[in-house]
Amino acid sequence: MDFIAKIAFKNLFRSKLRTLVSIAAIAFGVMIIVFARGIVLGMIETIYDDHIQFNSGHIKIVTEEYQKRERLLTLNYPVDGFTGEGVGGMMAELEKIEGVEMVIPRLKFGAMVSTEDELVALSGWGVNPGLELAFTDLENDLVEGRMVRPGEREVVMGTALLEKINRQVGDKVTIVYNTAFGSLKGSTFTIVGRIESTLKLLNETVVYLPLDQAQALLEMEEQATELLLVTTNLKTVPRVLPAVRGLLAKAGAGDRYLVLSYRETSDLIPLMDLSRIIFNYIYLLIVLLSCIVVFNTMVMIIRERTKEIGMMTALGMEGKDILQLFAIEGAFMGVAGSLAGAVLGHLVTAYLGKVGFDYGQALSSMDAEILFDTMIYPVASAGNTIFAFVFGVIVVTLACLIPARRAARLEPTMAMRE
Amino acid sequence: MALLELKGVKKIYDQGKIEVPALRGIDLRVGQGEFTTIFGPSGSGKTTLLNLVGCLDKPTAGTIIFDGRKLDDLDKKELAMIRRHSIGFIFQSYNLIPVLTAYENVEFALRLVNKYNPRETRDRVLDILSAVGLEGLAHRRPNELSGGQKQRVAIARALVKEPKLVLADEPSANLDSKTSEEVLAVMAKMNKELGTTFIFSTHDPLVMAYARRLIEIRDGLIAKDQRREQDAVLN
Ligand SMILES: Nc1ncnc2c1ncn2[C@@H]1O[C@H](COP(=O)(O)OP(=O)(O)O)[C@@H](O)[C@H]1O
Ligand SMILES: [Mg+2]
């Protein structure tokens, strides 16, 4: 066995170029897998983060009617406490639930800004600035000025939106909106900060203002359109959900409100789970393509060494020994190629994971409501890299078994042929 | 008892529609320690005969008894074991493994036999290499050896496991006449020293001269079978 392995190893150097090409092909395939998995992983993480931060929290509380009309940003079905007594008391009760770390109110409404030649639609978000900064990555995206302050008539908005309405930080802007009772009004705000985000929603659509201001202007004192609960971590969500539902039911609000986990509110998360499965087949395909090169090398090697194989059989080597000889030679190539590919792929992924890469142009026509970040930070994980390595070695070795079996069946009389 | 006995051996190659009768009825006995040549023109059936005797192929008809065992009923694995332990092969084009040194090529045959410890293996390989005149060349690769030296490595590889029988199919066909004679002299010397039975095919009269027994084969039949007390060269 060790002697067979020794011969197999030495045989790698018989045609160095061919061995190198095979190893390179495997390395390429494995590298692509590490990298592609890194991207998918990064994409999934970003999608989860964006969805949780800017849509659902870990758990979202809205009225049933609001949920049905979510995209319309209706103000007619707000969260206004257990029985209409105001949202403040309800928030305080929710905060007491074990595992709940934050209760974040948001009051979202449709609004417009008129410029010289068009009306620009936007989405006003009345928020508690401190909670938003604590929960989301907004601080990183706030590239100019500062966040709004409670009690002040101030707004913060995205770079693209500012460009569209032709304003800068420090300027004033008049925003037109409908109150909860349907009357059209306009109010003037000072722009105190600018957001630059790769999330289209933040860059082009959202205008942050203090919750108290939004409540006053919209005539919705003590109301929000949604409450987001932040739990200790994602794993505690299934434990906290029933507690929240229980609290609402006890307070007589069980029928009014929906309590939704982050998984229930995303269109993309189930899609990502599906694409993960699809991608696994694509990985297999990529490695199989690399295997064609190795397979071809093996077929050529065996054709060239027909007499030698005959000699070995004549000397008393059995078919299984010959099979082993070529399987080991293939496995060596599989290990070398997979190792090189895994290391290289890991390095590239880790590097891009640091600097990130933006494929925004490709998706520029995407709906801003879909929380799909155009900046991806691929995730280089040891598990992923080891998976790709092992996967490469196994698939390559299996691919070599097919030509190796043919070698094992060669007639010993081949040795005598001249 | 003869080491090798063939009774009515026939071999017909089935080439699709045409059947090629390569051997048409061979009766032959070869005793222990003989140094025999099989000669005849190209296509007369020499290689076919050696293949059958060497357990590489099975006859279409007839019986072969080697070392007291009837080969007819043996399966693939049993035939491989006979080759591994009891038969040495020398090929026309040497058939050495190019990535292995002379030493390793010889060691290869012994590793298959797998009955010696590392020390014994080493001693045996070095002894046989020096016996065939390759002292000091053990660590050369085949491409660093001349044709005659390569064939000596092949002889050493065939002999290192001390087989009962060594078969050589035209062992000197790729060598010039001087080297051919040197190689044959080595084979004859090993036959004398170790008592190993040799059967080699050739169509070169210079090479035939080394044999003690000359079997002429024509169109798949033995045409002549001649023994002599002394060979024509070394005596
Ligand atoms: N594998 C084979 N298939 C078909 N015919 C063969 C095969 N091997 C040998 N023959 C034929 O059998 C005859 C004897 O061949 P061979 O034993 O190689 O003769 P020699 O070694 O004396 O030159 C020839 O006619 C040859 O063409
Ligand atoms: Mg021949």
Side-chain angles (χ1 to χ4, degrees):
Chain A
M1 168 72 194
D2 57 333
F3 200 69
I4 290 178
K6 176 178 164 181
I7 297 174
F9 181 74
K10 291 194 169 189
N11 276 340
L12 287 173
F13 300 92
R14 277 167 93 150
S15 174
K16 293 194 187 77
L17 183 66
R18 205 160 52 190
T19 303
L20 225 60
V21 168
S22 304
I23 288 175
I26 301 163
F28 186 73
V30 170
M31 192 177 101
I32 300 253
I33 290 182
V34 173
F35 187 58
R37 276 174 73 99
I39 289 184
V40 171
L41 221 65
M43 228 184 237
I44 289 173
E45 272 189 15
T46 310
I47 283 174
Y48 268 70
D49 280 354
D50 288 344
H51 173 67
I52 287 168
Q53 290 183 19
F54 300 108
N55 183 348
S56 72
H58 295 155
I59 295 170
K60 185 176 185 175
I61 300 176
V62 289
T63 59
E64 205 165 328
E65 295 299 317
Y66 183 80
Q67 180 67 11
K68 280 186 199 156
R69 303 171 175 78
E70 197 193 4
R71 289 202 146 203
L72 302 175
L73 297 180
T74 173
L75 299 175
N76 298 331
Y77 307 99
V79 181
D80 55 3
F82 295 117
T83 51
E85 78 284 4
V87 75
M90 181 175 167
M91 284 171 61
E93 287 302 311
L94 286 167
E95 253 167 36
K96 286 183 201 153
I97 294 173
E98 202 189 315
V100 174
E101 298 210 320
M102 276 189 242
V103 180
I104 300 177
R106 281 181 186 161
L107 176 48
K108 296 183 178 176
F109 59 99
M112 278 180 299
V113 170
S114 80
T115 66
E116 265 133 48
D117 35 41
E118 63 171 336
L119 278 177
V120 177
L122 52 87
S123 166
W125 285 22
V127 297
N128 176 326
L131 290 177
E132 292 294 327
L133 289 177
F135 177 51
T136 68
D137 295 331
L138 204 57
E139 199 145 25
N140 297 332
D141 292 344
L142 203 56
V143 291
E144 191 183 346
R146 56 169 175 81
M147 189 55 177
V148 296
R149 283 182 189 140
E152 305 288 334
R153 203 150 274 204
E154 297 173 343
V155 290
V156 163
M157 61 181 90
T159 307
L161 185 55
L162 281 171
E163 259 164 41
K164 238 196 262 180
I165 63 171
N166 202 11
R167 295 288 192 331
Q168 293 177 345
V169 174
D171 290 353
K172 295 215 184 279
V173 62
T174 300
I175 294 175
V176 182
Y177 52 88
N178 273 311
T179 69
F181 299 104
S183 49
L184 192 67
K185 283 195 178 172
S187 306
T188 301
F189 295 81
T190 309
I191 303 167
V192 297
R194 177 166 68 88
I195 293 165
E196 193 157 315
S197 170
T198 47
L199 204 55
K200 209 166 172 177
L201 180 76
L202 292 189
N203 219 31
E204 294 183 0
T205 310
V206 170
V207 172
Y208 281 104
L209 63 159
L211 180 63
D212 54 60
Q213 295 296 313
Q215 286 169 335
L217 297 174
L218 298 168
E219 298 174 59
M220 295 177 68
E221 296 299 337
E222 273 294 305
Q223 296 178 11
T225 49
E226 63 196 45
L227 290 182
L228 307 186
L229 306 189
V230 181
T231 59
T232 326
N233 56 53
L234 289 185
K235 288 200 190 84
T236 52
V237 171
R239 214 158 26 81
V240 174
L241 268 176
V244 174
R245 289 193 181 121
L247 176 72
L248 292 179
K250 222 170 92 187
D255 299 336
R256 285 188 65 201
Y257 293 117
L258 288 176
V259 180
L260 304 165
S261 91
Y262 65 98
R263 291 192 65 88
E264 295 168 83
T265 45
S266 172
D267 301 328
L268 285 175
I269 287 174
L271 211 65
M272 277 294 128
D273 290 344
L274 181 70
S275 70
R276 217 179 208 159
I277 296 166
I278 294 171
F279 266 104
N280 280 333
Y281 287 101
I282 296 177
Y283 303 144
L284 188 65
L285 205 74
I286 293 168
V287 168
L288 282 179
L289 283 179
S290 317
C291 276
I292 291 177
V293 177
V294 185
F295 186 90
N296 187 50
T297 301
M298 269 343 245
V299 170
M300 287 202 301
I301 284 175
I302 286 160
R303 192 169 301 158
E304 281 169 23
R305 299 189 201 154
T306 300
K307 272 187 71 143
E308 188 173 314
I309 296 163
M311 175 275 288
M312 291 175 166
T313 320
L315 261 59
M317 242 183 162
E318 290 179 79
K320 64 176 168 54
D321 304 322
I322 304 281
L323 184 82
Q324 216 175 59
L325 178 68
F326 286 99
I328 293 174
E329 188 168 341
F332 276 137
M333 289 195 266
V335 169
S338 301
L339 192 67
V343 169
L344 234 66
H346 192 89
L347 291 179
V348 171
T349 309
Y351 172 74
L352 282 176
K354 275 221 185 79
V355 301
F357 76 93
D358 195 342
Y359 58 101
Q361 294 311 324
L363 294 172
S364 52
S365 61
M366 203 169 204
D367 192 334
E369 291 298 314
I370 299 173
L371 285 173
F372 202 83
D373 212 312
T374 60
M375 192 71 171
I376 293 291
Y377 292 91
V379 176
S381 80
N384 175 14
T385 303
I386 291 167
F387 164 84
F389 170 75
V390 173
F391 190 67
V393 173
I394 291 174
V395 176
V396 169
T397 308
L398 287 179
C400 288
L401 285 182
I402 300 163
R405 266 170 48 138
R406 211 184 315 164
R409 291 209 202 104
L410 281 175
E411 290 296 324
T413 53
M414 284 295 171
M416 298 282 219
R417 294 255 172 95
E418 291 304 330
Chain B
M1 201 184 69
L3 174 69
L4 180 68
E5 189 171 353
L6 285 77
K7 285 188 255 181
V9 167
K10 292 185 183 171
K11 179 71 186 179
I12 298 165
Y13 290 111
D14 201 356
Q15 280 225 318
K17 284 208 175 91
I18 2 160
E19 292 192 334
V20 184
L23 295 178
R24 302 190 293 159
I26 301 279
D27 295 294
L28 178 67
R29 291 164 72 92
V30 178
Q32 183 80 50
E34 287 199 45
F35 197 66
T36 304
T37 187
I38 294 174
F39 70 99
S42 181
S44 55
K46 303 184 292 294
T47 299
T48 303
L49 182 59
L50 291 180
N51 279 340
L52 296 179
V53 170
C55 303
L56 299 173
D57 206 354
K58 287 195 163 192
T60 316
T63 297
I64 302 174
I65 298 162
F66 172 70
D67 198 21
R69 289 179 81 182
K70 218 168 152 183
L71 300 185
D72 314 17
D73 342 306
L74 300 185
D75 64 20
K76 234 177 159 147
K77 185 177 165 93
E78 289 168 313
L79 290 174
M81 288 310 120
I82 291 183
R83 295 197 300 268
R84 178 182 290 193
H85 295 283
S86 309
I87 302 176
F89 288 93
I90 300 167
F91 307 96
Q92 178 179 329
S93 49
Y94 327 122
N95 250 338
L96 301 176
I97 300 174
V99 291
L100 300 185
T101 61
Y103 178 92
E104 290 164 334
N105 267 287
V106 176
E107 185 189 8
F108 178 77
L110 215 50
R111 286 284 191 134
L112 284 173
V113 172
N114 193 24
K115 78 179 181 204
Y116 303 105
N117 67 34
R119 222 196 114 85
E120 286 169 334
T121 302
R122 195 183 146 72
D123 290 347
R124 279 176 175 270
V125 173
L126 289 177
D127 284 353
I128 196 77
L129 279 172
S130 69
V132 298
L134 289 174
E135 237 161 336
L137 301 181
H139 292 289
R140 292 226 185 144
R141 297 251 185 114
N143 64 0
E144 299 161 334
L145 295 169
S146 70
Q149 289 169 332
K150 277 189 257 202
Q151 202 58 302
R152 285 166 197 247
V153 175
I155 294 169
R157 178 177 67 189
L159 288 169
V160 71
K161 63 191 178 192
E162 297 182 349
K164 297 233 161 62
L165 174 65
V166 171
L167 300 173
D169 194 20
E170 312 225 17
S172 64
N174 287 359
L175 303 171
D176 61 48
S177 53
K178 185 170 163 282
T179 318
S180 295
E181 293 205 53
E182 284 170 12
V183 164
L184 259 291
V186 170
M187 283 168 51
K189 172 180 163 241
M190 301 317 291
N191 166 254
K192 279 208 178 89
E193 286 178 7
L194 303 172
T196 313
T197 311
F198 277 76
I199 302 176
F200 60 96
S201 72
T202 187
H203 52 248
D204 179 357
L206 214 62
V207 169
M208 279 174 237
Y210 285 83
R212 294 288 189 86
R213 181 177 177 188
L214 297 96
I215 298 170
E216 183 179 1
I217 181 165
R218 274 188 186 274
D219 296 331
L221 287 169
I222 292 179
K224 224 188 270 174
D225 186 350
Q226 225 179 352
R227 286 170 198 267
R228 52 194 181 197
E229 281 309 303
Q230 299 186 321
D231 68 63
V233 190
L234 305 167
N235 305 316

